Amino acid sequence: VKFIESIKAASQVIIQEETRMCGRGKAASAEDVRQVACEIARSSETSWSDSDLYRNYPNIYPGKRLGIVIKNSESLFSVRSSYWGLVPSVKNAEAKDAFNLFNARSETVMTKSTFRNAFHTKYGGRAVAVLDGFYEWVTENKIKQPHFVCRADRQPLMVAALCSPCKDSDDTSCTLLTRDVVPSLAWLHDRMPLILPDVQAARNWIENSVFQGLELPNLQTHMVSTAMNKLAYQEVDAATPIKPNLKLTAFFPRRSEKPISSSTKKRDSSFLNSEVVSSFQSSATTSNTTVVPVASNVSPL
C-alpha cells in the first residue's frame, strides 16, 4: 500500500518535467503483449501472474503499469505488469527521488550505479516493454502540439527496459532506455526510446545485453489532438491522427489599406488567383502523417 501511494504521488511531479523524453506512451493491448512475449520466448504461451493489474491506457505515463517481458529465475520468459519508474532494489519504496527514473540513458546504463545491477541481471533485470507508440511535443507560437510516433506497419514497439524488484513489496518497477535521436526525428526531440527492431534483437537484449548498432524499423509520426496535453485524457482517440489547422486567410492576399481602383479590379477581378487555389487544394489534401524511411534511421549507438 505504501508503495502504491508513494509512486502515485511522485508520478504527479515526474510528468511535469518537459525536458525529459518518453514520459508518455500508448500501451499495447494485453493480447499484443502476450503475443510479443510468446514470439520472444519461441513458445505458444507465457505466464503473466499479475495480468489483472494491467490496463492498456491510450495515454500512459510514469506511475502506471507497463507490460514488460522478462526472463525469470527459472530461465523462462514471462510477462509482468511493472510500475513505470524504476525503484532500485536497494531503495525503499518511500524514497520519492527514485521515481525520477522512468528513463535511463543507454550510453551510461552499464556503469551508472543506479542501473548497473539491473543491467547486469539476466533474470528479471533486462526487459522489453511493449507499447503501441510514444508521444512527443513540439511548441509553436506558444502552443504545445503533441505528435504520436509508431511503427509504420502498426506492429507494437519493443523498447529496451530495465526491471527491478521492490524492496518492500512483491511488485516490480521499470525504466525505459533511451538513445540519441536519429536525424529524421530530431525535430521532435534530441532523444528517443531504444527501440528493438525485431524479436531476435529483443531476445539478444534480454539474454546477452546486446543493443548497439541496431537498425530501426520504419517509423511513422502524426499530429494528435491537443486534448493529449492533459494527463487525464484517456479517450480511445488519443493517438488518432488529426488534420492540420488550416487558416483560410493564409491563402488570400492581404487587402490593401487604400481603396482599390476600378482599373485594379479589372486587372484582378478575383482575390483567388490560380496559384492560391492550387496552393489551397494541395495543402488541404496533404496528410500530416510522416513516414520516416529506414535508410535515415540506420544510426549505431
Side-chain angles (χ1 to χ4, degrees):
V1 175
K2 287 183 179 180
F3 174 71
I4 295 175
E5 290 178 350
S6 57
I7 198 168
K8 285 182 177 179
S11 68
Q12 298 305 310
V13 177
I14 296 170
I15 45 77
Q16 300 300 327
E17 300 186 24
E18 298 298 333
T19 57
R20 297 172 181 262
M21 66 83 46
C22 198
R24 303 275 284 279
K26 183 176 186 293
S29 68
E31 292 75 13
D32 281 346
V33 175
R34 288 184 185 277
Q35 181 62 34
V36 169
C38 288
E39 291 176 1
I40 294 175
R42 299 171 184 168
S43 173
S44 59
E45 60 180 22
T46 54
S47 66
W48 190 351
S49 60
D50 53 2
S51 61
D52 58 312
L53 301 177
Y54 182 74
R55 303 289 184 274
N56 61 321
Y57 291 105
N59 178 16
I60 192 170
Y61 51 84
K64 300 294 186 182
R65 293 178 185 264
L66 291 170
I68 65 169
V69 183
I70 63 171
K71 201 167 190 179
N72 60 32
S73 57
E74 286 78 35
S75 195
L76 298 175
F77 287 97
S78 62
V79 183
R80 290 300 304 268
S81 301
S82 185
Y83 276 106
W84 186 4
L86 189 73
V87 183
S89 57
V90 296
K91 293 270 189 177
N92 190 302
E94 294 182 30
K96 291 186 178 181
D97 59 340
F99 298 105
N100 290 322
L101 308 176
F102 58 88
N103 282 163
R105 295 176 65 91
S106 59
E107 297 88 345
T108 58
V109 74
M110 291 175 281
T111 57
K112 194 169 183 179
S113 58
T114 306
F115 306 112
R116 187 171 55 217
N117 288 341
F119 176 82
H120 291 291
T121 302
K122 179 194 297 187
Y123 304 115
R126 297 186 297 273
V128 172
V130 186
L131 296 162
D132 279 348
F134 62 95
Y135 302 95
E136 288 296 346
W137 276 255
V138 173
T139 301
E140 295 181 0
N141 299 322
K142 298 183 179 180
I143 298 176
K144 291 172 58 179
Q145 176 60 57
H147 294 255
F148 183 66
V149 184
C150 61
R151 288 181 60 126
D153 59 10
R154 297 307 176 96
Q155 293 299 306
L157 286 180
M158 294 179 288
V159 180
L162 294 176
C163 177
S164 178
C166 296
K167 183 179 179 180
D168 57 353
S169 79
D170 294 330
D171 267 306
T172 62
S173 61
C174 66
T175 186
L176 303 185
L177 268 63
T178 66
R179 53 165 289 174
D180 281 336
V181 73
V182 291
S184 50
L185 288 177
W187 59 277
L188 266 180
H189 205 283
D190 60 355
R191 304 287 295 176
M192 66 180 293
L194 179 51
I195 298 171
L196 303 166
D198 51 44
V199 171
Q200 186 56 49
R203 193 179 178 97
N204 282 343
W205 159 244
I206 293 177
E207 294 194 318
N208 306 309
S209 69
V210 175
F211 64 88
Q212 292 90 349
L214 297 175
E215 296 182 4
L216 292 181
N218 268 357
L219 297 178
Q220 177 175 296
T221 67
H222 60 254
M223 291 192 298
V224 296
S225 171
T226 53
M228 275 295 297
N229 292 344
K230 296 181 179 180
L231 279 177
Y233 193 76
Q234 295 291 350
E235 300 301 322
V236 293
D237 65 347
T240 301
I242 63 168
K243 294 181 179 180
N245 184 19
L246 299 176
K247 294 183 178 180
L248 292 179
T249 54
F251 299 98
F252 288 80
R254 186 172 297 176
R255 290 179 182 270
S256 173
E257 294 181 359
K258 297 181 180 180
I260 301 176
S261 65
S262 58
S263 60
T264 302
K265 290 180 180 179
K266 290 179 181 179
R267 289 196 306 270
D268 186 11
S269 59
S270 172
F271 282 123
L272 282 176
N273 59 34
S274 59
E275 291 184 0
V276 174
V277 172
S278 175
S279 175
F280 178 81
Q281 291 174 338
S282 174
S283 299
T285 56
T286 300
S287 170
N288 68 315
T289 300
T290 302
V291 177
V292 182
V294 172
S296 66
N297 286 332
V298 180
S299 177
L301 292 173

